[in-house]
Structures are given as structure tokens and as C-alpha cells.
Amino acid sequence: MQTEEEILKIKKVKNTAVRTVVLRHLLSQEKAQSLKDIENALAYTDRSSIFRTLKTFEENKVIHSIEDGSGMTKYAVCAKGCNCDPKDLHHHFYCTNCDKTFCLFDVPIPKIQLPENFKLQQANMVVKGLCDNCNK
Amino acid sequence: MQTEEEILKIKKVKNTAVRTVVLRHLLSQEKAQSLKDIENALAYTDRSSIFRTLKTFEENKVIHSIEDGSGMTKYAVCAKGCNCDPKDLHHHFYCTNCDKTFCLFDVPIPKIQLPENFKLQQANMVVKGLCDNCNK
DNA sequence: CTTTTACTGCAACTCGATTGCAAAGATTAC
DNA sequence: GTAATCTTTGCAATCGAGTTGCAGTAAAAG
Ligand SMILES: [Mn+2]
Ligand SMILES: [Mn+2]
Ligand SMILES: [Zn+2]
Ligand SMILES: [Zn+2]
């Protein structure tokens, strides 16, 4: 596992106090985090600073965002080597019972047969259901 | 193609003036419509009435919703015979240039290998890129 | 016809997301 | 070093999609 400093250096994002704690928090969590999740976890950091940090991270491929339909965008740290290209795309799982969203890094998206002349750039693939913990 | 009346009858949704025009509008459009899209198209129908109509339609499987990451939920009429079960799931395409979202009815979701003990209920699969018209 | 239930329009409100601005901090120029 | 410049941060205000309470209207039931 890389440290926050290493990741930011690789992705060419300047290291600041807010960026370090936001990235550290994201790395420490198993499930994807919303802006509010992060705000709640970091009591002394302003929401707008976290918001702008997330934008910066996303622009620089430090993290990727997930629209899981819960009304709040979730964020997760990109895997090592990820460049957010089509080849790096993977599915996400949203548990409709416990509200947990996370990356299925092991479930890459299969080749999708798009209509003639369409170009794939990105994807937001969210599978919904019950996680193992809630499916009992 | 079924008429609005036929669809509502099959799905056991009572026919009303607002429901008819909303469904007619959705049927007339190639791309999935947001609440605002419908509001703009139906000058004399109140937003909240359209909103509640969409909720009713979705609960009764007349339409399904698509979270395409644009900030507005889009809605599309379900295909004939669709029951919104996992077997009826399909991908959606969002054009990052012209902002058009639509169903890829011909691209069903392949079997996704979920982790042990996970249960699939629904899915929101949005592929993003350029549509044929914008990819020139 | 009267009562009950469902639908609609309007206004107000919620809440996640976003922005303007000034202060604080970091970097570069001299 | 100091001054000028650029970047980051916190605060408050704002935006906008979505949602709700309520009263009036329409439809269904009795
Ligand atoms: Mn992911
Ligand atoms: Mn669809
Ligand atoms: Zn769960
Ligand atoms: Zn397009």
C-alpha cells in the first residue's frame, strides 16, 4: 500500500494539509465515501475545502466518483496504476439495505457492444442488491 | 407500439389527464427525459404533478429511471413485457457532448460475478462517451 | 345526491452541490 | 532577505433538483 505522499507525488498533485487528511481518510475506508461522510469524519476541515480537494483529486485521477443513486456522489481511491481509462473501469456495488457502496475491482466491465460509431469514454456501472452481510 | 391507454391498463395505473400527457411525451422522445425536460415540454402541467406521476409510473413499472451522472434523473418507458427484473436490465448510454441519454435495449447486462453471498436486485449501468452524431 | 377517496396545483422547503470573496499560506521574483 | 504573485482554505451565501403540506378539484363509491 502506498502512502498519501507517494500517491500525490505520482499523480502530480501538490501535497497540502487538507489533501493529506482527505486522502488518508479515503484510504482508511472500505466503502466509498460521500462528501458528507468525509466532512463528518474530519471535524476541523471545511466542507468546501473537502469539496475542492475531491475535484482536484478526480481531475488528477487520484480518485474516481460513483453515482450510486443514493443522492450523494461517492468517492474511492483509484487502484495503483489506474488511469481511469476504459480498461480501468470496473463495476460498483450498492447495498440497498446498509447503504454501503464499494468498488468491485475484480469485476472489470466486459466488452460492451455499442451501436455503430459510438465511442466509449467512461462508465458508471452500479449493481444494486444485498451485500453478504445483509443477505442472511 | 402500444398507446398510452393500453400501457396504463396493462400496468394497472389509472388513467388521468396528467398521466396521459406525461406518458405520451415520454413515448414521443428518443432520449430519456428529466423532470425538467418534461416540465419544459408540458407548459401547463405543474412540476409536482409530473414528479408524482413519474413516481407512480416507476412504482408500477411503466418507466424506469436512469442515473447518468448529469445531476438529473432521467426516465424512459419500459419495453413491452419488461418487469424491471434483473433479466430486464440493460445498459444506458450518455453522450458527454450532446447530453443525450438513452436505453441500449439491445445490450442486456451480462452475468456479473458478484462476491460470495451477494444478491443482485437492480442495476444502473451507464456507459459514457460520444454518440454517433457527436463522434465525427 | 352525498360521502369518500384520488389527483392536481401552488407555495414552501430540504439538502447536496457549488461559488464569491477575503484571509492565510506557499512559491517565485528581485 | 523582502516584495510580488499564485494557491489553498474557511466562511457565508447561493443554486437547483427533488420533495412535501395543504387546500381545491375531480373521480369513484355508496
Ligand atoms: Mn471504483
Ligand atoms: Mn433503460
Ligand atoms: Zn449491506
Ligand atoms: Zn452526442
Side-chain angles (χ1 to χ4, degrees):
Chain A
M1 179 62 93
Q2 303 167 94
T3 64
E4 301 90 53
E5 287 76 15
E6 287 168 347
I7 295 173
L8 294 179
K9 190 167 187 182
I10 291 170
K11 298 297 172 68
K12 296 187 171 55
V13 175
K14 201 200 296 180
N15 198 346
T16 71
V18 172
R19 288 174 188 173
T20 300
V21 292
V22 169
L23 183 51
R24 180 174 302 152
H25 173 74
L26 288 173
L27 285 169
S28 75
Q29 299 295 311
E30 179 190 21
K31 66 171 187 176
Q33 299 284 292
S34 68
L35 175 56
K36 181 177 283 272
D37 288 337
I38 303 170
E39 192 185 354
N40 290 341
L42 306 179
Y44 300 108
T45 308
D46 187 73
R47 179 169 17 113
S48 65
S49 300
I50 300 170
F51 172 77
R52 286 187 268 232
T53 293
L54 291 171
K55 288 291 165 209
T56 300
F57 282 178
E58 195 172 11
E59 281 164 17
N60 291 280
K61 319 289 176 66
V62 175
I63 63 176
H64 59 278
S65 60
I66 308 151
E67 308 271 339
D68 63 12
S70 69
M72 285 186 278
T73 302
K74 306 288 175 64
Y75 300 90
V77 181
C78 286
K80 193 173 180 179
C82 169
N83 205 28
C84 294
D85 290 324
K87 70 165 180 53
D88 298 316
L89 299 176
H90 52 263
H91 286 96
H92 296 93
F93 189 88
Y94 174 74
C95 179
T96 55
N97 183 249
C98 69
D99 215 56
K100 195 165 129 182
T101 297
F102 55 88
C103 301
L104 298 175
F105 283 117
D106 296 336
V107 187
I109 68 170
K111 185 149 184 60
I112 297 162
Q113 186 61 49
L114 293 179
E116 187 87 22
N117 263 326
F118 279 55
K119 187 180 177 208
L120 169 66
Q121 289 174 334
Q122 286 296 314
N124 182 61
M125 314 289 255
V126 180
V127 176
K128 306 184 186 191
L130 297 176
C131 72
D132 53 352
N133 202 44
C134 294
N135 184 27
K136 284 176 178 169
Chain B
M1 179 63 91
Q2 303 166 93
T3 64
E4 301 90 51
E5 288 75 15
E6 288 168 346
I7 294 173
L8 293 178
K9 190 168 188 181
I10 290 170
K11 297 296 172 70
K12 297 187 171 56
V13 176
K14 200 201 297 180
N15 199 345
T16 71
V18 173
R19 287 173 190 173
T20 301
V21 293
V22 169
L23 183 51
R24 180 172 303 150
H25 175 73
L26 287 172
L27 286 168
S28 75
Q29 298 295 311
E30 180 190 22
K31 66 172 188 177
Q33 300 284 293
S34 67
L35 175 55
K36 182 177 283 274
D37 288 337
I38 303 170
E39 192 186 353
N40 290 340
L42 306 179
Y44 300 107
T45 308
D46 187 72
R47 175 169 23 113
S48 65
S49 300
I50 301 171
F51 171 77
R52 285 186 270 233
T53 293
L54 291 171
K55 289 291 166 206
T56 300
F57 281 178
E58 193 172 13
E59 281 164 17
N60 291 281
K61 319 288 176 63
V62 175
I63 62 176
H64 60 277
S65 60
I66 308 151
E67 308 272 340
D68 63 11
S70 69
M72 285 186 278
T73 301
K74 307 287 176 64
Y75 300 90
V77 181
C78 287
K80 192 173 180 181
C82 169
N83 204 28
C84 294
D85 291 325
K87 71 164 179 55
D88 297 317
L89 299 175
H90 51 263
H91 286 96
H92 296 92
F93 189 88
Y94 174 73
C95 179
T96 55
N97 183 250
C98 68
D99 216 56
K100 193 165 130 181
T101 297
F102 55 87
C103 302
L104 298 175
F105 283 118
D106 296 337
V107 187
I109 293 180
K111 186 151 184 57
I112 297 161
Q113 185 61 49
L114 293 179
E116 188 86 24
N117 263 325
F118 278 55
K119 188 183 178 205
L120 169 66
Q121 290 174 333
Q122 286 297 315
N124 183 61
M125 314 291 253
V126 180
V127 176
K128 306 184 187 192
L130 297 176
C131 73
D132 54 350
N133 201 46
C134 294
N135 184 30
K136 284 176 179 170

